[in-house]
Amino acid sequence: MAKVAFIGLGTMGFHMAGHLACEGHEVRVYNRTAARAELWCEQFAGESAPTPREAAVGAELVMTCVGNDDDLRCVVLGPDGAFAGMASGSILVDHTTASATVARELAALAAERELGFLDAPVSGGQAGAEAGMLSVMVGGDPAFYERAAPVIESYAKLVKRMGPVGSGQLTKMVNQICVGGLIQALAEGLHFAQAAGLDAQAAMQVISQGAAQSWQLDHRHQSMLEGKFDFGFAVDWMRKDLAIVLDEARRNGAQLPVTALVDQFYAEVQRMGGGRWDTSSLITRLKPVR
């Protein structure tokens, strides 16, 4: 069992840290909103700390799961950041969906302090975090990975090292490219089925048994037809992720015309007031068939 600090108890981190505690690891948590950390301590075996630095003191592994690059720098760097409390040889495992640039930046700073760093974004959403069935894509030194992977498995169905630092974030970008395109295709398929006078739900049941099958189709077509969009990953966060993707594509020369279009469709959903709706809300752009 390991001594672990977990920084960031949002929709994902709350449950991920809970699985660590349930597996028997010694867990100390930090969250910017202290009440959230107190709630976690009421539900799980562990303790909270008033700063990231104090959470990290004595920890072999420090996990972070926050909102974006700037949030990550805020909890890791500075006199109250996690790096300030970590001992030589300990490892920071970042589960934030952030840029590959910030991953490389923090890895370099970690090395100066004789610390390890892994970028390890996750996929699987709130449901995956609650069930402990996330997919974790990791970038970093193999030796750091080998030490951290057995602990990460507490909340994962799959943990895989993808290459050097930044590779985890780049793989998560691939994930978001694919997810955005799948959701838009599903929205259009449902819309077309209704326009054609089909029973859209029956059509989904049939095509889900063939080449069109996907997690989005299986888990979201019914709620999309019902106009329910409160199932986790919000449009605001998806736009943050797609901005990272498109910025990286400008650097590496990748051509992402569909991804750029889907990003603008999500911007339209935001203008409709749907920033906190989940990503399946792309269907709201398509006028209901009369």
Side-chain angles (χ1 to χ4, degrees):
M1 295 297 103
K3 291 185 178 181
V4 182
F6 205 103
I7 297 170
L9 301 175
T11 301
M12 306 290 287
F14 190 94
H15 302 289
M16 294 160 72
H19 285 293
L20 289 169
C22 290
E23 287 288 318
H25 298 291
E26 185 178 327
V27 184
R28 185 184 298 133
V29 299
Y30 166 81
N31 193 68
R32 182 167 52 187
T33 304
R36 182 77 169 170
E38 293 169 5
L39 177 63
W40 186 91
C41 290
E42 291 173 5
Q43 295 188 25
F44 301 102
E47 61 183 56
S48 65
T51 66
R53 177 183 63 79
E54 291 172 83
V57 170
E60 302 161 61
L61 297 171
V62 177
M63 274 74 172
T64 51
C65 190
V66 294
N68 55 38
D69 287 21
D70 290 339
D71 292 335
L72 182 58
R73 292 186 181 98
C74 186
V75 298
V76 172
L77 304 178
D80 286 324
F83 277 175
M86 294 173 67
S88 175
S90 57
I91 303 169
L92 192 140
V93 180
D94 177 40
H95 291 306
T96 308
T97 296
S99 68
T101 300
V102 77
R104 297 180 186 116
E105 170 192 326
L106 294 180
L109 293 171
E112 292 176 3
R113 295 172 174 264
E114 298 183 337
L115 305 173
F117 181 90
L118 298 170
D119 58 295
V122 304
S123 180
Q126 182 176 347
E130 291 176 354
M133 296 291 285
L134 295 169
S135 296
V136 187
M137 48 220 85
V138 186
D141 186 278
F144 298 147
Y145 172 79
E146 292 299 326
R147 287 174 54 194
V151 179
I152 297 172
E153 287 172 355
S154 299
Y155 41 81
K157 64 178 179 181
L158 173 68
V159 185
K160 184 172 180 61
R161 179 179 175 270
M162 304 304 300
V165 167
S167 299
Q169 296 296 351
L170 293 170
T171 306
K172 181 61 183 286
M173 294 177 207
V174 174
N175 184 83
Q176 301 306 71
I177 291 166
C178 294
V179 167
L182 284 169
I183 296 172
Q184 177 61 21
L186 177 58
E188 292 183 16
L190 290 168
H191 177 70
F192 179 90
Q194 291 175 315
L198 293 171
D199 179 333
Q201 184 174 355
M204 293 301 108
Q205 291 173 344
V206 171
I207 70 170
S208 70
Q209 302 305 306
Q213 187 276 335
S214 70
W215 187 97
Q216 298 294 338
L217 190 158
D218 291 346
H219 292 86
R220 291 290 178 264
H221 80 270
Q222 183 62 47
S223 55
M224 290 168 77
L225 289 170
E226 294 172 357
K228 297 178 180 178
F229 308 113
D230 55 353
F231 296 96
F233 196 65
V235 167
D236 287 343
W237 290 114
M238 185 60 156
R239 287 219 71 208
K240 182 267 293 186
D241 289 0
L242 293 180
I244 293 171
V245 169
L246 294 170
D247 184 60
E248 187 68 33
R250 281 188 286 272
R251 277 194 291 271
N252 67 24
Q255 300 178 51
L256 304 178
V258 173
T259 302
L261 189 60
V262 170
D263 178 57
Q264 291 308 302
F265 291 163
Y266 276 123
E268 189 176 330
V269 174
Q270 286 178 317
R271 290 193 291 272
M272 294 166 60
R276 300 307 299 171
W277 297 343
D278 75 64
T279 49
S280 68
S281 59
L282 275 178
I283 197 171
T284 60
R285 298 180 50 262
L286 305 174
K287 294 180 180 179
V289 178
R290 298 186 183 279

